[in-house]
Amino acid sequence: FIKIISILILSLGLLSDKNLLPNPKIRLVLQILVLFTFIYFENLGINSLSFEFLDNLLKYNFFNIALTVFCFATLLNGSNFLDGLNGLLSGYYILILLSLLYISSNFSNVEILDLEFAKLLLLSLGIFYIFNIFGFVYLGDGGSYLISFLVGFILIKANQHNMFISPYYVAVMLWYPAFENLFSLVRRIYKKSNVSYADKLHLHQLIFRYLKTNKIFSSKLINPITALIILLFNLPSIIIATILFSHTISLIFLLLINLMIYLLVYYFLSKNFKFKK
């Protein structure tokens, strides 16, 4: 069943890549329909959010499915935002898969049902990353949708079947593309700009423009170096979350720290530097 859904997810991205499905609203509706079908029949969901009120809501099947669909849709579209930098998206998901494989290899009480699939995905991404970092191949909408869907599935299923894996381990692993999407949506609604059209004010784009404007690196290196900077920013939290994968309170604080740093860096770049159009 996951093969069929993966093909559908990939097809939506390819249609977008070929400009055969240019309307983002229609694309989102189709994503939600595909994701709802998959989550409902796969019986995929969120066990707990570690807060009694939210956990009581999760007991209602409709609310649980709706929240899971929302998380997947946010992740897919947020990941698509990050695909403009060579090595960023593939490198980010490589770090996540390495974290998951480390946990499964070093903690006997954790069983990852899709471990072999995760290893195969890691190998594929590793090969792709080498060519992507030099600009020979690209994920595109189809690739970014597919990779984020598969990694999100592996993580949520790992949490669903392992009481030792905190849901906030999953949140820390996936916070960056998800928050990039949510923050972009809130920012554009606040500024009353059309959310259906792409803009160039995402954090990675501001960092790229800052490096380019100040000519810190060669123009040919700015793209992969920007990706590397963002990966290095996420690396400490991924390492800490890997070590503390079952410590919910610590993971919540780690998640909040990531969000605050993101907002501070974004504010600093957007307010204190004038970029050329």
Side-chain angles (χ1 to χ4, degrees):
F1 186 50
I2 190 174
K3 293 180 180 178
I4 297 173
I5 298 300
S6 296
I7 291 172
L8 292 175
I9 293 290
L10 178 61
S11 299
L12 289 176
L14 292 176
L15 289 173
S16 176
D17 285 326
K18 298 296 183 181
N19 205 32
L20 298 175
L21 192 62
N23 192 317
K25 294 180 181 178
I26 295 178
R27 197 159 61 241
L28 179 60
V29 170
L30 292 175
Q31 284 178 9
I32 290 173
L33 289 175
V34 172
L35 291 170
F36 176 84
T37 302
F38 174 70
I39 290 166
Y40 179 80
F41 287 103
E42 187 68 21
N43 197 27
L44 197 65
I46 301 170
N47 289 338
S48 171
L49 290 173
S50 301
F51 293 97
E52 184 177 356
F53 171 72
L54 294 175
D55 286 349
N56 288 334
L57 290 177
L58 288 176
K59 294 177 182 177
Y60 296 97
N61 196 41
F62 176 79
F63 179 82
N64 201 317
I65 292 174
L67 180 60
T68 308
V69 169
F70 172 79
C71 292
F72 264 108
T74 303
L75 177 64
L76 263 62
N77 290 285
S79 296
N80 193 33
F81 288 160
L82 308 182
D83 187 41
L85 294 179
N86 297 344
L88 176 55
L89 193 60
S90 56
Y92 186 78
Y93 283 120
I94 285 173
L95 294 177
I96 292 175
L97 290 171
L98 286 173
S99 169
L100 196 59
L101 292 178
Y102 175 85
I103 292 173
S104 66
S105 300
N106 290 274
F107 297 90
S108 58
N109 57 346
V110 176
E111 181 183 5
I112 307 300
L113 300 179
D114 303 281
L115 186 59
E116 294 303 317
F117 178 58
K119 290 179 180 179
L120 179 61
L121 188 58
L122 176 61
L123 177 62
S124 302
L125 278 177
I127 296 172
F128 174 86
Y129 178 82
I130 295 172
F131 291 96
N132 180 230
I133 197 73
F134 294 107
F136 294 122
V137 291
Y138 304 95
L139 281 171
D141 291 359
S144 61
Y145 287 168
L146 180 62
I147 296 302
S148 55
F149 167 71
L150 293 176
V151 175
F153 166 72
I154 292 171
L155 281 171
I156 291 180
K157 197 171 181 182
N159 167 251
Q160 190 177 30
H161 292 276
N162 288 277
M163 61 178 293
F164 300 103
I165 296 180
S166 169
Y168 293 95
Y169 165 77
V170 179
V172 172
M173 291 295 110
L174 301 176
W175 82 272
Y176 176 54
F179 187 70
E180 183 68 61
N181 189 5
L182 293 175
F183 179 69
S184 175
L185 181 63
V186 171
R187 169 175 55 81
R188 296 171 73 177
I189 291 175
Y190 176 75
K191 292 186 176 181
K192 298 180 180 179
S193 60
N194 194 331
V195 297
S196 299
Y197 294 96
D199 67 4
K200 294 184 179 181
L201 295 174
H202 300 292
L203 178 63
H204 62 280
Q205 292 169 327
L206 294 184
I207 296 173
F208 176 89
R209 291 164 66 186
Y210 171 71
L211 296 178
K212 185 177 181 180
T213 301
N214 290 274
K215 300 180 180 180
I216 297 176
F217 299 100
S218 167
S219 58
K220 294 181 179 180
L221 298 176
I222 292 176
N223 187 298
I225 286 178
T226 303
L228 182 60
I229 290 172
I230 296 174
L231 290 176
L232 290 175
F233 162 66
N234 281 283
L235 182 59
S237 64
I238 289 177
I239 293 174
I240 295 171
T242 303
I243 298 171
L244 303 175
F245 68 92
S246 62
H247 297 263
T248 293
I249 299 298
S250 299
L251 290 168
I252 290 174
F253 276 110
L254 182 59
L255 180 62
L256 292 175
I257 289 171
N258 281 337
L259 297 180
M260 287 190 292
I261 293 175
Y262 178 103
L263 293 173
L264 287 172
V265 172
Y266 192 95
Y267 178 83
F268 177 76
L269 288 174
S270 62
K271 294 294 183 181
N272 293 279
F273 294 98
K274 295 181 179 179
F275 299 110
K276 295 179 180 178
K277 293 184 179 179

